[in-house]
Each structure stands twice: as C-alpha cells, then as structure tokens.
Amino acid sequence: MKACSRGRCVSVVTLYLVLLSALVKSASEFDPYKVLGVSKSSSLADIKKVYKQLAKEWHPDKNKNPEAEDMFIKITKSYEVLSNEEKRANYDRYGQVDENQQYGQPQQGYRHFHNGFYFDESFFHFPFNNKGNRDPADSKYTLHYNQYVSEVVPDSFRRPYLIKITSDWCFSCIHIEPVWKETVQELEALGVGIGVVDVGYERRLANHLGAHRTPSILGVINGKATFFHYAVVREHLKQFVEDLLPQRLVEKVTDRNDEEFLNSWHEQNKPHVLLFDQVPVVPLLFKLTAFAFKDYLEFGYVDQGLSETANLLRQFNINTYAPTMLVFKENTDKPADIIQAKGMKKQIIDEFISNNKFLLAPRLVNQKLFDELCPVKQFHRRRKYCVLLITGEEESFTAGNKAFLSLASSNTKEVLRFTYVYQRQQQSLCETLLKSRDIAPPQVVILERRNAAGKALYKPVTGGWNGSEEDKRKLLEELELLQKDPSILNYDATLPELNNELASMFLIQWIYTAYDYLIQIRDDLLHNNWREMMPLLSLIFSALFILFGTVIIQAFSDSGEDKQTKPKAKDAAKSENGSPSTAGTSSRPPKKNFVEVTELTDITYTSNLVKLRPGHINVVLVLTDASKNVLLSKFAKEVYSFTGSLTLHFSFLNVDKHSEWMDALLEVAPEALAADGDEDEASHRADYTGYVLALNGHKKYLCLFRPVYTGEDLDAKSSEEEGGAGGGRSRSGSREEQHHRKAVPRSRSTSTLQIHHKLDRLGLWMERLMEGTLPRYYIPAWPSLEKITTNK
C-alpha cells in the first residue's frame, strides 16, 4: 500500500476529527431530562405525567408549529430512555443513549501510540479483571470519587447501596463473582443501588470508604458506610442489606392496634399504607419502599396467617391469595386507593405510592412540603393553584375544617391543591396573607407561587369560611372563574419561609440515630474490625478521657479546698494569740496554705532586694520587737490571698535593729516624704511601726503604705483612716487641726489592739498594687543595712 502524501494525510485526519466532534456534539446536546423538563430525582410517575402532557401539546396533528414533529420525536425518545430503568441508569452514568454500543465500554481494538509504536489491547487476554477487558456487569456499576460524593451519598438517603471493592490482580475476587452477580441481579430489581470500586484506578475513593483490602463489600445508607463481615453468600448479602435499614420503618398491624395506626394520620400529617401478605416477615421490597418514602407516608404490615388479623381481612374484604396494598388518607373506614397482584414489581409499587404521597387536604408544616404541594409556576400549561384554609386548632373551627375537607375530597382537577395551616403555628405566613384587611380566621385564600424567592399572587375569598353551603358556592365560583381568568388574583406579596413544626421531633430522631450507631459499634467490635473502627474508637476514648479527667481534677481540687478550710479555721483561732504564721480567708485560690515571710537582714538584704529578679516585688512590713507577733499575724491575714502570685515576696524589717534604714530610704525618695505630709517630722523621732513597703529591686522604686493610726484622739483617727485608704493623709482639714494632731506624741506603748488595727486597710492597698495604680517613688540607689550614709 502506497504511503499518502503529507498534505493529503493531514486533510483526511482533519476531516475525521471534524466528523467525530460533530457526532460527539450531537450526542451531548440530547438530554432527555431537559427535553421533558424533569430532574434526575424525579420518579417514574412524575416522568409519565409530564410525558403525557407534552405529548398532547406537541402532537403534530394538534400543534401546527413546524418544529412540532421533531419535538414530538425527542419527547418520545426521551420517555423511552427514562421510563426504562436500565437505559436510565446507563444514561445517568455514561451519558449514552445508543443501544448498539455497550455502556461504559471502549471500542474494541483501540490502539495506543507511543513514540511511533502501537499495540492492540485485544492481543492480550489475561484471565484477570483488567480494565481493558473488565466484566461488563462490573463496568456498568463502576464508581469514581466525584460520582460517589455527588450522586451516591445524596441518593443513599432514599435507598441503600451495596458496593464491592475489587482490583485487577485480585484472585479472591474471581471466586465471589458468581454470587455477586446473582445477588446484584436480585437486589437491583428491588431498588438497591449497586457500585463497584477498582482500587487500582480509584484509590482515593477506596481510602475515603476505609477499604484497605480486596475483595471487600460494604453498604452505604444515609451517607454512612458499613462493612460486610460474613461469608459471601446470597442469603447473607440480602440480610446485610436488610439490616442496613432502620428498624422502625414498618409497623406490625393487627386487630388490636389498627385503629390507633390509621387514626394517627392527623398528628403525623401523612397517609398510611397497609400491606396484606401471607409471609410472617415483612418483605424486603416493602421495607425498601418504606425507606424511600419515609418522609411522606407511614407503612404498616398485616400478616394474613395470624388469627389476630382476621377482623382486618373481613373489614376490607382482602383476597388472601395475592398481596394487597391499601392507602388510607383522611377517611380511615375506606381506602383511598388499592392494588393487588401476585408478583408486585418495584415499578408498580413506586408509581402507586407516588400517586398517593399526600393527604387530600394536607397541613403545611414546613417549607419543603409547601414547595411540593404548591410548586413555582414554570409556564402557562403547568400552573398550580393552592386553595389555602387559614384556621385554628380549637373545637370552634372543627365544623369549618370538616367542610373544607369534604370539598377537597370531591376535587378532581390536577391544577388545584387543597391545603390548610394553623394560624398559631404559622403566624408569619398568615399575617402576610391577611395584612391590611380586617379579616380574621377562618379564611380561604387562593394563591399561585410565581418564583422561588417567595413572590406569590393571591386573593382571599370574600365572606370568610364557616363551612356553610353558601361559603362552598362562593369558593367554587371563584375557582371556576380562575380557570378562565387568572388575573382575578389581584394581590401580591413575598411569602416568608414556613416554620418547621416537626422540629420538636428532632430529639426522638436523634435518639433513634444514636441507637443505630450503637448497634453498628457492637457489630464491628464483635467482628474485630479494628482498623476500620480506629477513627470511631479514637473519638470515643478521647471523649471519655476528657470527661473522666475533668471529674478527677474537680474531685482533687474539691478535696484540696476542704483540707485548706480546716487549717484556716485553726489559724484564725490562733491569730488572737499572736501566731505569726496565720492565714486569713480569701476569695482567691492561693497556691500555699501559709505565708512565707523572710526577715530582711544584712545577709538576706542583697538577694531579697538589691538583686531581686526583674518584675518581682518584695512587700516589706516594718515592725518592732514589741509589735512583731501582732503585726505579723495581721500581715499574714491581709496578704494571704495574694500568695498565689509568683512575682510577690514577703519580708519584714525590724527597725529596732536597723533604726536608720527607713529615714535613709525616705530621704533619697523626697516625693514619698512630701506625700507623707509631715514636713516637721525631721524634728521628731518618726514611728514607722506598721508601714508596708513594696520594693522593686530591679527598677528601683517603692510604693508606700501608711498604717491606720488608732490612738485615743478619735478625730485624728478618722482623719488618718481617710488618708490610709488612699495611701496618704487627708489635707482637707485646716492647718491648726493638722498642727494639733502633730503635737500628739505617737507612743510605742500603744495597746496590742491598737497595733493590730494598723493594717486594717492593707488588703485594699494590695489590690491597687496588683492593679498597678499606686504612686511609685523612684530612688537612685538602695541604702545599705550595714553602713548607712545620709545625704543631707
């Protein structure tokens, strides 16, 4: 064969690519969901209903539009794809509608080119499940990470999924294939979702699911994955899927509880379904249906073989030779719909349930129900009108509510939906619809939702609603007029979001969910699946550690406080006898149960003051031999609550041993001497007993506390008390009064009680010291205790 020229080959390749892109584009433009105007979550009943409406609208015999014939063909083809479960599933996974090509399969004989060489995959025929020659059954269900997160997880809240973890070179996977295929064929027909994850190509998804070995089988429900631990047998796999479902989906109904079950429609605001069958256990198909529609209906099962169900069989004239399903709405004496067949298929049951999802006149209890019962207008031919009764729960509204229900029961028009609300439960909605009009419930409002933002057109029916024949006639006339002229809805408003009246049931749902989790933990522990249980066990042990650690610490802290209480009481008793190590009561938790006070001597002076660490303060009490015991006892009480601070040190200075130190200190700090207010004090021998100094050795400053003087002169006493609280004496008095007070000699022979009260205000002064609000007096250098030099 002759080689083609370069230009000719390029043109051929270009033409081939253009044709290929055109084919791909034409295939991708056809979307059956868009053609019918439905979503991927729409049920078969909804699709069928929409198809009938569109087929009538676009039939070439009735529609003279030139595009009607093409549109009718697209509608028909779309319905053929979406009405067939297998075709719909294939389209959802691969976007293909060509019946002649296997879904998800690459073309055979596909050649890979690499550096001028190529090889044909069909030449190699390995006996394993490789990607090029994978079993078509597994290829149909292959999952990737994004598909699992965006499709499988949301869909798992409506049906459980059974997922197999496999790999290309897994010998054990080959042995379970026959059982897997047989089980998948049976469970998929019942509505169970199927998935296959190839670890070699989807390692991310396998790690996300926690699958660390192949083969593995797991189930996914409500977004939660659970591993299968038993032998791979069809019966075990079916039981595993059944155990994934919640335990309270279907209630066993007999002659004893049938009335209670059926009459609960009012509280639960749902229709009730009864399945009559001869098998003693609830069929898996019925459980799966109950799980898929759990938000809309309540499900019950009647075992025909029990003697306790004989009255039910006679009451509803049940044929015992075939399973029978009844739907009850507001009328519990007569079923609203019924089907009976020996071999009930999932498609038939889903269509039957979808057509009976709501009561004849359901109550609007949340926004989700309102959106479904009163959908937003899409175009003219799909208008939906809501006939809304605003009423109350009291007995006075009962007659009107029953009359409204009777009118709703006779409604046969699909464009009308009868609903009601309780004004007390949905006050915001009722106030919006009845505002600016002097109207009180009960009241009927006809409304049409125009957009998802809440805008709606509506009109209240004049005269209110009492359920009389005249009220019914007015309402029917308004509805007939609405069919001819939609413009009669002459009011508009933006409706608020409805309150969720079912939120009070959250606690019960949470308890049921916690129970299901405990059952799962028990199963995992029994099967020793430690690797998969590690994250959950780690969370449990962390919570227990925090809980018990907090309890133990609290217990020890309580016992420590109890132990500290007794020494405090003893020290308080000893304080009257002058014990120097007494500690007072305090609201702060100190780190010690005593006050460590060091005497400033020529040995400790340098380490406790001159070379004190930066940021540390030494609180020094000035005393004498005569007042030592009394002042130390009082000092310990006042400063005890501050012993928890690591930056405070406590000392005392005996002025009998170092009589000149205080004078030398105040002389190099003239501000402190001036603040003291004793300008004439140089001619008198000062009494520093009870003074307290806060000394910062590193920054060389001091704060001064002057004691409360308790002499016989009451006026002087009160004056000094005013000055002691603020760290200085009051200057509000006259000079004569001050001179008189200074003339009174400060005797060192004052009584023990007077000396004890010198430190009464020390606690307040310590608070200001910790806050940093006391005046600071800086000095050039600390005077020595050994040799005192005075600079006068």
Side-chain angles (χ1 to χ4, degrees), residues 389 397-409 465-467 472:
L389 171 64
F397 296 96
T398 303
N401 296 345
K402 289 183 177 180
F404 185 79
L405 175 60
S406 175
L407 191 63
S409 303
W465 178 265
N466 294 318
K472 292 181 181 180

Side-chain angles (χ1 to χ4, degrees), residues 270-555:
K270 297 178 181 179
H272 285 58
V273 181
L274 278 181
L275 174 64
F276 293 80
D277 205 349
Q278 294 181 345
V279 293
V281 295
V282 182
L284 178 58
L285 175 60
F286 192 61
K287 285 187 176 181
L288 292 169
T289 304
F291 180 72
F293 296 94
K294 60 184 180 298
D295 295 334
Y296 300 97
L297 302 98
E298 290 292 321
F299 293 82
Y301 180 74
V302 180
D303 182 4
Q304 299 177 0
L306 298 177
S307 59
E308 299 173 348
T309 61
N311 292 336
L312 276 173
L313 300 178
R314 287 194 299 268
Q315 180 180 356
F316 299 112
N317 193 22
I318 300 300
N319 183 359
T320 58
Y321 296 101
T324 305
M325 191 176 296
L326 308 180
V327 173
F328 294 87
K329 296 186 177 181
E330 287 86 347
N331 186 4
T332 59
D333 297 328
K334 182 180 179 181
D337 203 352
I338 179 173
I339 59 170
Q340 187 177 44
K342 285 189 176 182
M344 285 192 182
K345 302 296 183 181
K346 177 182 181 302
Q347 186 175 354
I348 298 175
I349 295 178
D350 287 350
E351 185 174 356
F352 174 75
I353 297 297
S354 298
N355 292 332
N356 294 281
K357 284 172 40 176
F358 304 106
L359 296 171
L360 297 175
R363 180 163 61 96
L364 300 181
V365 294
N366 52 40
Q367 186 65 33
K368 177 184 176 183
L369 188 62
F370 183 40
D371 293 340
E372 294 195 51
L373 292 174
C374 304
V376 175
K377 171 192 173 183
Q378 296 180 0
F379 48 85
H380 180 72
R381 293 181 179 273
R382 294 190 188 180
R383 277 184 165 171
K384 296 286 185 182
Y385 299 101
C386 265
V387 184
L388 179 64
L389 171 64
I390 301 175
T391 182
E393 306 174 60
E394 294 78 9
E395 292 185 1
S396 57
F397 296 96
T398 303
N401 296 345
K402 289 183 177 180
F404 185 79
L405 175 60
S406 175
L407 191 63
S409 303
S410 59
N411 174 52
T412 58
K413 299 178 180 179
E414 293 185 0
V415 297
L416 297 179
R417 174 70 72 177
F418 286 76
T419 63
Y420 70 99
V421 294
Y422 287 146
Q423 184 188 25
R424 185 173 60 86
Q425 301 289 349
Q426 305 292 342
Q427 293 183 1
S428 299
L429 176 67
C430 298
E431 290 174 359
T432 302
L433 294 176
L434 301 180
K435 67 179 181 180
S436 72
R437 285 173 294 278
D438 190 13
I439 302 175
Q443 176 67 48
V444 175
V445 177
I446 306 173
L447 63 89
E448 178 189 17
R449 296 182 66 203
R450 303 308 295 254
N451 57 38
K455 183 179 179 181
L457 300 179
Y458 68 98
K459 177 186 180 182
V461 179
T462 57
W465 178 265
N466 294 318
S468 63
E469 294 298 327
E470 179 65 18
D471 292 341
K472 292 181 181 180
R473 184 186 62 78
K474 289 182 180 179
L475 177 57
L476 292 175
E477 288 179 355
E478 294 282 357
L479 294 177
E480 287 294 335
L481 182 60
L482 179 66
Q483 297 296 314
K484 301 176 183 179
D485 183 15
S487 62
I488 67 170
L489 303 180
N490 52 359
Y491 293 98
D492 66 276
T494 300
L495 303 181
E497 187 170 347
L498 270 68
N499 298 327
N500 187 5
E501 300 178 23
L502 304 179
S504 58
M505 301 177 62
F506 172 76
L507 179 60
I508 299 175
Q509 296 174 358
W510 184 87
I511 293 174
Y512 288 156
T513 304
Y515 173 77
D516 294 336
Y517 270 102
L518 291 176
I519 295 298
Q520 179 191 359
I521 293 172
R522 183 201 64 181
D523 295 340
D524 290 338
L525 290 175
L526 289 176
H527 295 285
N528 297 324
N529 194 6
W530 299 109
R531 188 170 186 177
E532 296 157 5
M533 281 289 295
M534 254 325 182
L536 186 57
L537 290 175
S538 176
L539 179 62
I540 293 175
F541 282 118
S542 299
L544 293 177
F545 177 79
I546 295 173
L547 177 62
F548 287 105
T550 305
V551 173
I552 292 173
I553 292 174
Q554 184 66 30

